[in-house]
Amino acid sequence: MTLLNMGIEMSSSQQSNSYTVLINDVVSDLMLVFIVIVLAIQSAKSLIIANGWFRNWKYSKIIYGNIHSDIAKIATEHTIKYIGADNTFYKNNSVYTPLTRNGTLKIDITQARIMAFRLLSEHTHKFPHPVVYGKNTPSSSNYYIKTMEASHQYTSLQLMSMLLYLKYASIINEVDIINFIITPKMGNTLLGKNFSELCNATFIASKPENDSSRVKDNNNSFIIGSNFEGYSSLKARLQDGNQLHGAIIDCNCSGGSTLIETANMFNNFISKNGLEDKIKRITDVYVIFRADINISPDEIEAKFSSNNLRIHRLFDLDESLKGNLHELTITSDEREKDKKIEFMLEYAKNNKLLR
């Protein structure tokens, strides 16, 4: 081989090595750019989640994923632990009702309130101006808690049912064992149905007076069982011979007029059809919270009492507490959240909002 040929071969080899080095450099640079982009996206995503930005955007799931369901699932598991049941109980959807009033149920109503604050904060919406809601007693607020939206998430629905169950179990020595549940058809029937399954109770949806499918007789009287969807199942249980006890269930109320109206309609139905020996008149109403203190807690209880009813709930919310719930949404540090919830509990206690 001549020196010229050797020189050409060495030059070709060096050129090949240069290309290889160049390709490796480009690939490395592209990988580095890709990693930087991924890290930047993750950082931006974490910042958005921490501040609660774009929560109402129709494509928010791209950013938030199943974070709300995961939070609710963890909270549900904690609640199950506090009432003395294990995961087998939850997964098998077994029924645990304190029928003997001396079961092993562990009641921690403070923990139930903490769970409720955490759950409701995920569904508290702030408006730039006051909005009005409520039927006979309209309430004005800059906040609205979307409990119906929460009920569409299975884990949130389970947690809401557990919270109501904890309230029911905490006063079990003062109230009737629940055999059937009535929820206004315009209320949270998903919660009513889910709670009835937890209590092994019959579920009934009550049609309001303005329901187009409401059945009336010639005297325009509310006496036909068809207006209580699910009454046929309750009627079948009347053959057992034991007097049945019911309760009104909903996620929340403001002035309570719809719940009172529902109880009165069913109690009138019992009287007009001579069912007093088989079905006890309803005396108890359960909600997770009350969203309106334009009527004070004492006034709302007097309103229910004047209709021979009692209203049971975990707490009442004023405008300040609603604002605190909204702030929890944009607080990412768990220790900071715990401090805020502790403050909220103390505030509610001092203002007689814990019920």
Side-chain angles (χ1 to χ4, degrees), residues 276-335:
E276 291 93 339
D277 293 337
K278 296 182 178 181
I279 306 176
K280 183 180 178 181
R281 291 174 63 84
I282 289 176
T283 57
D284 296 289
V285 176
Y286 296 86
V287 295
I288 297 174
F289 66 96
R290 192 170 69 89
D292 171 26
I293 65 159
N294 291 331
I295 303 176
S296 72
D298 290 339
E299 288 174 326
I300 198 71
E301 287 175 4
K303 181 178 179 178
F304 274 79
S305 180
S306 66
N307 286 273
N308 299 312
L309 296 168
R310 294 175 294 184
I311 179 170
H312 311 288
R313 69 274 194 202
L314 291 172
F315 45 74
D316 289 353
L317 294 175
D318 62 7
E319 198 72 358
S320 178
L321 271 181
K322 292 175 190 175
N324 292 145
L325 284 174
H326 185 260
E327 286 179 11
L328 282 181
T329 306
I330 57 177
T331 302
S332 58
D333 186 87
E334 287 301 316
R335 287 177 296 181

Side-chain angles (χ1 to χ4, degrees), residues 125-132 140-144 319:
H125 182 76
K126 183 178 181 180
F127 292 93
H129 52 75
V131 294
V132 178
S140 176
S141 174
N142 277 92
Y143 302 92
Y144 186 72
E319 198 72 358

Side-chain angles (χ1 to χ4, degrees), residues 19-35:
Y19 285 141
T20 301
V21 171
L22 179 61
I23 291 172
N24 287 338
D25 288 343
V26 170
V27 170
S28 297
D29 289 343
L30 287 175
M31 287 296 294
L32 182 61
V33 170
F34 176 75
I35 291 171

Side-chain angles (χ1 to χ4, degrees), residues 259-274:
L259 301 178
I260 291 172
E261 179 184 279
T262 300
N264 288 339
M265 285 193 297
F266 191 79
N267 287 337
N268 289 337
F269 169 80
I270 292 173
S271 298
K272 290 182 178 181
N273 288 275

